Amino acid sequence: RHRLRPRKHFFKGKVAVNDVNDTPISCEDLLNAFRPLFRDSVAALRLRIDASEYSRLFFCVYNACSPKPPANHSDTLYRVIIQEFAVAAAASISDLELDAISPAWQEFVLRIRFVEQVCKYLDRFFVKWQSLPCIREVGTSTFVRAVGCSRGH
């Protein structure tokens, strides 16, 4: 009978916490955790990110995006992902010949897939709730725009 009682205060006080010392995750901590995903090469990411680092990043996204506002950082994280994809796309195709774009695209797709996996919670809830383009679409369109801009289109 007690199971049917509504949980009025289930989410009350739930905030994003840091996995090290249970302090709330600041926006700056979240951004510092994600910038290497875009700034490092894919080969360096493969060496640096193991299962525990992947779990830490996924946990960071979940804890930053699951609480109710004002502790929710979903919008900030989504905007940072868009900006960082633009910077990474411009850096990956700068001064490349047309035949060298294919390897750059293949490396960028790996980056998109990794960010999409880590940000699955953001993609599944916030992006759909706000009717925004998913992370894969954002990454793909950013690369295409960067190629078009570099070619003068």
Side-chain angles (χ1 to χ4, degrees):
R1 188 170 168 184
H2 59 83
R3 286 188 200 162
L4 301 177
R5 212 172 353 178
R7 293 177 160 183
K8 293 181 183 176
H9 303 293
F10 182 68
F11 290 106
K12 186 175 184 181
K14 183 178 180 186
V15 295
V17 293
N18 190 338
D19 57 343
V20 176
N21 55 8
D22 291 337
T23 58
I25 292 177
S26 70
C27 231
E28 194 60 36
D29 291 340
L30 184 65
L31 302 182
N32 288 337
F34 271 86
R35 286 207 170 99
L37 297 180
F38 298 97
R39 307 272 166 94
D40 294 348
S41 69
V42 173
L45 284 176
R46 284 184 177 170
L47 293 175
R48 189 174 70 81
I49 297 187
D50 56 354
S52 64
E53 179 68 10
Y54 172 80
S55 296
R56 187 185 73 79
L57 288 170
F58 189 86
F59 179 79
C60 194
V61 169
Y62 176 79
N63 281 333
C65 299
S66 61
K68 295 193 182 258
N72 190 309
H73 300 302
S74 299
D75 186 46
T76 304
L77 181 59
Y78 186 76
R79 282 186 279 124
V80 165
I81 287 172
I82 291 172
Q83 291 169 355
E84 293 294 329
F85 267 141
V87 170
S92 66
I93 62 156
S94 63
D95 302 327
L96 289 180
E97 296 298 321
L98 192 57
D99 57 343
I101 289 179
S102 180
W105 167 247
Q106 291 170 353
E107 184 170 318
F108 202 75
V109 165
L110 294 174
R111 186 180 310 276
I112 291 171
R113 285 183 184 162
F114 185 76
V115 172
E116 183 182 32
Q117 284 294 319
V118 170
C119 297
K120 193 180 288 188
Y121 186 83
L122 178 76
D123 217 11
R124 186 179 296 157
F125 295 103
F126 175 75
V127 169
K128 288 191 176 158
W129 179 59
Q130 295 287 329
S131 300
L132 298 168
C134 68
I135 292 174
R136 181 180 292 178
E137 290 175 26
V138 167
T140 304
S141 63
T142 303
F143 189 85
V144 169
R145 259 186 272 127
V147 169
C149 289
S150 72
R151 301 295 170 232
H153 297 289

